[in-house]
Amino acid sequence: MDLKEQLPPLIGMNLEELQGVALSGKMPKFVGKQLAEWLYDKKVTEFDEMVNISKKNRAWLAENYRIGRERPVKSSVSADGTVKYLFATRKGPGVEAVYIPDRDRATLCVSSQVGCKMNCYFCATGKLGFKANLTAAEIVNQFLSIPPAPEPGRKEMNPLTNIVFMGMGEPLDNFAAVRRAIEILTSPWGLAWSPKRITVSTVGKMPELKDLLDKTQVHVAVSLHTADSGERQAMMPAQKAFPISSVIKLLQGYDFSHQRRLIFEYIMWRGVNDDIRHAEMLAKMVEGLNCRVNLIRFHAIPGVDLHPCSEERMLMFRNFLNSKGITATIRASRGEDIDGACGMLAAKS
């Protein structure tokens, strides 16, 4: 690593911190606002592109900081247009982000950790174990530095419309950095996105889930997968520390009847959680909550003795939930041929 790479990055800083950088370089405080505009709105990669900042000040910035933009080191393109990007990290293996184009939308699935502590049985990331938390700069870099590819049959690329924190890691296990990334995405001095364009997925880690609900307005997706607490603990060790019953009780105290959405993610496994009994338990568990249920096809990973259920079972399950007044949809599977689908991210280099 050369000396330049050891300098602190500017991306990942909020407006107050960028103003502090300006003041420490004996620049006017308003230069901090200019820095935020160049970094997040204009997405520059070189200090010399910051043309409304003097050459002297740009030289000082370059001597003391780096912008922090890092291009992905590898990409894989799926037959369905999904693109998986591998980013290098300073600790352990890399992390992956997945770009999913869909007609007039494009979603980026970002990672928050190298590996994961949650060790869910069905997840390739969990098999890595925990290596490191990503910094706010490393998280922000994923949505600033990807070069989106066009959807098949289209010449133009789809600009990002949505961000989902559903990549490698448990976002609420690295909540400080994730919250900083959300601040940069949604603040007027940042990318000025609506929080309704952002979804954070979690196993239900508390008390950080309450902090997410209280301190942001992003959508929340809870990894449920079975309403049977014993079965859930066998699949998801986090159930012991954060029982789904406690998670549901917390969620019942919030209003999801307007623009903010509550989603339950439910991967379906053949002969495990795909029968009418499980559908009834799920309906009872979420009764009274304004929510939707995403039914997800299981994508096989090595060493895991689970199998996807049939299309007929998924349709039965969806129709039963709909009949009970619960909005349920079968989520389209994208990127399976490049190990980019749900539960498959393992930072293979």
Side-chain angles (χ1 to χ4, degrees):
M1 183 184 299
D2 63 31
L3 293 176
K4 189 71 175 176
E5 291 178 332
Q6 297 180 47
L7 296 175
L10 289 180
I11 66 167
M13 291 188 183
N14 62 20
L15 178 59
E16 183 178 357
E17 290 166 335
L18 291 171
Q19 290 171 333
V21 167
L23 292 173
S24 69
K26 297 183 172 53
M27 305 174 209
K29 187 177 180 180
F30 68 77
V31 173
K33 181 74 178 296
Q34 292 175 323
L35 284 171
E37 183 178 7
W38 287 114
L39 294 169
Y40 302 128
D41 182 31
K42 300 187 184 302
K43 303 180 178 64
V44 301
T45 59
E46 302 290 343
F47 285 107
D48 283 344
E49 296 178 76
M50 301 179 178
V51 292
N52 63 349
I53 298 175
S54 72
K55 286 186 177 181
K56 176 185 175 182
N57 287 335
R58 295 201 306 263
W60 182 89
L61 288 166
E63 287 174 4
N64 291 276
Y65 294 91
R66 58 190 173 92
I67 287 180
R69 293 281 296 277
E70 304 286 346
R71 299 278 288 182
V73 296
K74 181 182 177 182
S75 64
S76 304
V77 183
S78 167
D80 62 26
T82 298
V83 187
K84 182 175 70 172
Y85 296 99
L86 176 67
F87 290 88
T89 61
R90 293 168 188 267
K91 297 179 181 178
V95 293
E96 291 171 328
V98 182
Y99 170 81
I100 309 165
D102 184 16
R103 296 184 296 274
D104 59 345
R105 293 162 55 92
T107 299
L108 185 69
C109 177
V110 300
S111 294
S112 55
Q113 295 179 310
V114 184
C116 186
K117 296 177 187 176
M118 300 302 112
N119 194 28
C120 296
Y121 175 65
F122 48 86
C123 179
T125 306
K127 305 304 179 190
L128 295 175
F130 175 72
K131 307 299 181 184
N133 282 325
L134 294 185
T135 64
E138 289 172 318
I139 296 173
V140 169
N141 181 64
Q142 293 172 67
F143 55 79
L144 289 181
S145 295
I146 64 158
E151 194 174 0
R154 297 182 60 166
K155 294 182 179 179
E156 73 277 12
M157 73 180 192
N158 295 2
L160 288 179
T161 59
N162 298 84
I163 296 284
V164 293
F165 286 83
M166 295 182 181
M168 299 173 67
E170 161 59 51
L172 298 191
D173 197 38
N174 188 19
F175 183 57
V178 167
R179 188 183 174 201
R180 172 64 59 85
I182 292 171
E183 180 187 11
I184 291 167
L185 276 165
T186 58
S187 294
W189 50 261
L191 277 80
W193 279 28
S194 164
K196 309 306 182 292
R197 297 169 64 184
I198 304 167
T199 302
V200 175
S201 177
T202 177
V203 298
K205 189 175 189 295
M206 296 191 286
E208 290 83 358
L209 177 56
K210 186 176 189 306
D211 288 341
L212 178 75
L213 291 163
D214 289 342
K215 296 173 181 177
T216 78
Q217 286 297 313
V218 300
H219 301 315
V220 177
V222 176
S223 297
L224 178 57
H225 310 312
T226 176
D228 183 302
S229 59
E231 291 177 357
R232 191 171 189 265
Q233 186 167 324
M235 294 283 189
M236 305 172 66
Q239 165 69 16
K240 185 174 182 179
F242 316 112
I244 193 61
S245 58
S246 299
V247 174
I248 295 293
K249 185 175 180 180
L250 173 67
L251 294 170
Q252 288 170 339
Y254 292 84
D255 182 7
F256 298 99
S257 62
H258 300 293
Q259 288 185 317
R260 188 181 209 179
R261 290 200 303 266
L262 171 63
I263 304 123
F264 289 99
E265 298 169 305
Y266 195 97
I267 298 175
M268 298 190 68
W269 302 291
R270 186 172 73 224
V272 176
N273 65 346
D274 63 344
D275 57 20
I276 194 66
R277 179 179 74 88
H278 284 86
E280 290 170 343
M281 285 193 299
L282 176 57
K284 184 175 181 181
M285 174 171 281
V286 303
E287 184 179 8
L289 278 172
N290 198 303
C291 66
R292 66 177 59 188
V293 176
N294 275 344
L295 303 177
I296 304 169
R297 294 176 178 84
F298 174 61
H299 305 102
I301 61 172
V304 173
D305 187 21
L306 292 169
H307 306 278
C309 74
S310 67
E311 183 74 14
E312 290 75 18
R313 282 280 188 173
M314 295 192 80
L315 290 169
M316 176 277 294
F317 211 95
R318 181 200 65 186
N319 294 342
F320 176 85
L321 293 175
N322 288 344
S323 74
K324 297 296 182 181
I326 299 164
T327 301
T329 57
I330 298 173
R331 196 164 81 189
S333 179
R334 301 289 299 271
E336 185 174 4
D337 57 333
I338 56 169
D339 291 340
C342 181
M344 300 183 80
L345 299 186
K348 296 177 182 177
S349 60

